[in-house]
Amino acid sequence: MALLPLAYLLLRTLQGGLPAWWEAVATERVAVLTGTSVLLAAVVTTACLLIGVGGAWLVTRSDVPGRRLLAVLLALPLAVPSYVAAFTWVSVADLWAADPGTRFEGFTAAAVVLTLYTYPYVYLPVAAALVRVDPSQEEVARSLGHGPLQTLLTVTLPQVRPAIAGGGLLAALYVLSDFGAVSILRLDTFTRAIFTAFSVGFNRSLALTLATLLVLLTLAILWGEGRTRRAGARFTAPQAVRPARALQLGVWRWAGSAALTAVVLAALGVPALSLARWILAGTSVADAWGRLGDAAAGSLTVSLLGAALTMLLALPVGILAARHPGLLPRTLERAAYLAHSLPGVVVGLSLVFFGVTVALPLYQTTWMLALAYATLFLPLGVTAVASAAAQAPPALEETAASLGTTPVQVFRRVTVPLTLPGIGAGAALVFLTAMKELPATLLLRPTGMDTLATRLWSATGIGRYAEAAPYALVLVALAAVPTWLVVRRTGILPAAGPTEPTVAVPADRHPLDPDLTAAGGPDLLTGVKA
């Protein structure tokens, strides 16, 4: 089920023939789209690595003032969906634009906005990795005469290289798959060109060709990151470690704190200022609260349906992965993760073609949209179920079987109740993530139905910022819930001062654990991409 969009996309491409596909691909426009998409991903990923790694080192290894508060604030931009961020930056820039004809848009604008709301993908895993690295090797390096910069480059960073590579992979995939921000900021990338070709130009063959190219780019990045991961060594201690003492930066600690504060103000202050401005301004649209209620009802309906379908598919896969590890469960689990890495616009477009030609009764129904959510977010449910099943003692199921109960009764009376906490957590995470989803919802929503994300999209498209602000506020509030869960589970601890007491870092595992990142990769994708 998870690979259905990818399989159908490849089938349609092969039906047309590779010569026809190559003829459509070998054009100047496709070359420009490829160059823009790859350059944007490279620029944003580089900037995210600088901010994410630098911020993580400053709060976990140095004595910058306010590091305890900054350690939390630096992760919060993850709660702002990229299209909401783009809307708030455009609306604020319009207020102070010297020339009414100018607009905050284009490559630079997209790079700035995407960097500010994507760097937490690097910051969170690197900060979690630094907390779990034993500082004794750094202390030995300094005792041998190495300076702070040399110790950082030759000892500290190599120990967290898997986390840096995993975070960079997430940032690159996010930029390639982003649709909302680049569309609002009017930058032609693959995702915007696919949506435009299908929805505005009614050119389905061009949309299909561009989608296959975007899939190839995504797979190339995954392959490259996988090669880096296999070459990376592990240095993280498997047991509880002694936390690091803060490195004394002297006067430079104020510069470090100022730089991190500037990043936080830009990422959180602009949306807060914009939303407050437009909500206070009010809107002249009739029955604004009624329209907000209708959109919220639409979001709740499709998200609940998507969460139910996702967990129904995730339950057998998660239990198989936890109880019967082997080639088949591992293959099923990895297949779900592969679909999760595909851009939402590609999944949506593939299901549009699938619905029109194969499953016409499902096309333009909430069931097709729920299927798209299940395809995109299945790993969230699989991971939650597998984690809960792995923590439950299998002896209870063996005891029930020894008392004469059938396998179906054991599954219904013992296995499912034991995994209920994981099922509930996975359903909540899928539900909240589906509420924010934009490109697949735009392509697959039934005619006449709107969600919070589509109403925000429609209002910003015609410059009605005051009308869009309540939808954006609700979406940010919803996105803050999974963000808080991710931040809480990272266990990021700021560096302790010379006289402050230290607490040993436990050796338990979580989705952002650097060892899991190095070993599995998808755990990081699941934990952070939500």
Side-chain angles (χ1 to χ4, degrees):
M1 186 73 74
L3 291 181
L4 181 63
L6 183 59
Y8 191 75
L9 198 62
L10 293 176
L11 178 65
R12 288 295 302 266
T13 303
L14 292 177
Q15 282 179 341
L18 288 179
W21 179 83
W22 177 251
E23 185 179 351
V25 165
T27 64
E28 183 179 353
R29 173 170 166 71
V30 173
V32 172
L33 285 175
T34 305
T36 304
S37 299
V38 171
L39 183 61
L40 181 66
V43 170
V44 173
T45 302
T46 303
C48 287
L49 288 173
L50 292 174
I51 297 176
V53 176
W57 184 83
L58 284 173
V59 298
T60 61
R61 283 291 193 271
S62 75
D63 64 340
V64 292
R67 57 186 179 278
R68 295 186 184 280
L69 180 61
L70 288 170
V72 177
L73 293 179
L74 283 170
L76 292 186
L78 203 62
V80 184
S82 63
Y83 54 91
V84 173
F87 147 65
T88 56
W89 272 78
V90 168
S91 61
V92 167
D94 284 353
L95 289 176
W96 284 287
D99 183 358
T102 60
R103 190 176 185 271
F104 183 74
E105 62 184 26
F107 186 92
T108 303
V112 169
V113 170
L114 285 173
T115 297
L116 286 174
Y117 300 92
T118 308
Y119 79 81
Y121 292 141
V122 178
Y123 165 75
L124 281 169
V126 174
L130 284 171
V131 167
R132 291 173 183 278
V133 168
D134 194 332
S136 58
Q137 295 187 40
E138 300 168 44
E139 295 167 357
V140 170
R142 292 195 196 99
S143 69
L144 294 175
H146 288 196
L149 181 60
Q150 190 177 6
T151 302
L152 171 67
L153 296 178
T154 60
V155 179
T156 307
L157 292 186
Q159 296 184 81
V160 296
R161 190 172 64 180
I164 296 174
L169 167 69
L170 282 173
L173 290 179
Y174 187 89
V175 175
L176 274 184
S177 65
D178 180 77
F179 165 72
V182 295
S183 296
I184 291 175
L185 297 171
R186 299 179 184 177
L187 177 67
D188 271 336
T189 60
F190 269 117
T191 52
R192 189 180 185 219
I194 291 171
F195 185 82
T196 304
F198 176 76
S199 299
V200 181
F202 302 103
N203 190 341
R204 293 184 175 182
S205 61
L206 177 60
L208 187 67
T209 301
L210 295 178
T212 54
L213 261 183
L214 185 53
V215 169
L216 290 177
L217 272 179
T218 303
L219 294 178
I221 291 177
L222 287 172
W223 177 82
E225 193 278 337
R227 298 279 296 178
T228 304
R229 184 187 306 162
R230 280 194 293 273
R234 299 185 185 189
F235 297 91
T236 305
Q239 68 280 347
V241 299
R242 175 172 53 86
R245 288 288 182 186
L247 181 67
Q248 307 298 310
L249 296 181
V251 295
W252 290 104
R253 68 195 190 106
W254 295 105
S257 180
L260 296 183
T261 302
V263 171
V264 170
L265 286 177
L268 301 179
V270 171
L273 178 66
S274 174
L275 292 180
R277 158 77 173 80
W278 289 112
I279 287 177
L280 291 176
T283 174
S284 59
V285 175
D287 194 22
W289 289 107
R291 289 168 59 85
L292 179 61
D294 291 342
S299 291
L300 287 173
T301 302
V302 295
S303 300
L304 282 173
L305 196 58
L309 181 59
T310 303
M311 296 313 299
L312 189 64
L313 298 173
L315 185 59
V317 179
I319 291 177
L320 265 179
R323 286 287 188 265
H324 308 284
L327 180 61
L328 178 61
R330 191 165 57 250
T331 303
L332 291 174
E333 194 177 10
R334 293 302 169 112
Y337 287 120
L338 178 59
H340 188 58
S341 65
L342 297 178
V345 69
V346 172
V347 173
L349 183 66
S350 303
L351 288 179
V352 166
F353 283 108
F354 177 75
V356 170
T357 57
V358 179
L360 191 57
L362 291 179
Y363 184 59
Q364 285 282 304
T365 67
T366 53
W367 286 104
M368 186 60 81
L369 186 53
L371 178 60
Y373 291 159
T375 302
L376 286 167
F377 309 130
L378 185 59
L380 306 182
V382 170
T383 303
V385 172
S387 300
Q391 291 176 355
L396 296 177
E397 296 163 340
E398 296 168 359
T399 302
S402 69
L403 293 176
T405 52
T406 64
V408 174
Q409 289 174 324
V410 171
F411 179 78
R412 182 168 56 85
R413 296 179 180 177
V414 181
T415 306
V416 171
L418 287 174
T419 55
L420 273 181
I423 296 173
L429 202 53
V430 173
F431 171 78
L432 291 170
T433 310
M435 292 276 281
K436 302 183 300 175
E437 207 287 330
L438 178 63
T441 308
L442 283 172
L443 291 170
L444 294 168
R445 60 177 167 156
T447 303
M449 194 196 79
D450 274 315
T451 66
L452 292 167
T454 60
R455 279 279 172 81
L456 170 66
W457 171 261
S458 302
T460 53
I462 53 178
R464 297 167 69 165
Y465 301 138
E467 180 185 345
Y471 303 113
L473 184 62
V474 174
L475 285 169
V476 171
L478 289 171
V481 177
T483 303
W484 177 79
L485 290 174
V486 169
V487 173
R488 192 170 67 91
R489 296 185 68 180
T490 55
I492 297 174
L493 297 174
T499 59
E500 294 176 336
T502 59
V503 180
V505 181
D508 56 342
R509 293 294 192 265
H510 51 74
L512 294 173
D513 190 297
D515 279 353
L516 292 180
T517 304
D523 295 285
L524 178 69
L525 286 170
T526 303
V528 178
K529 196 173 179 181

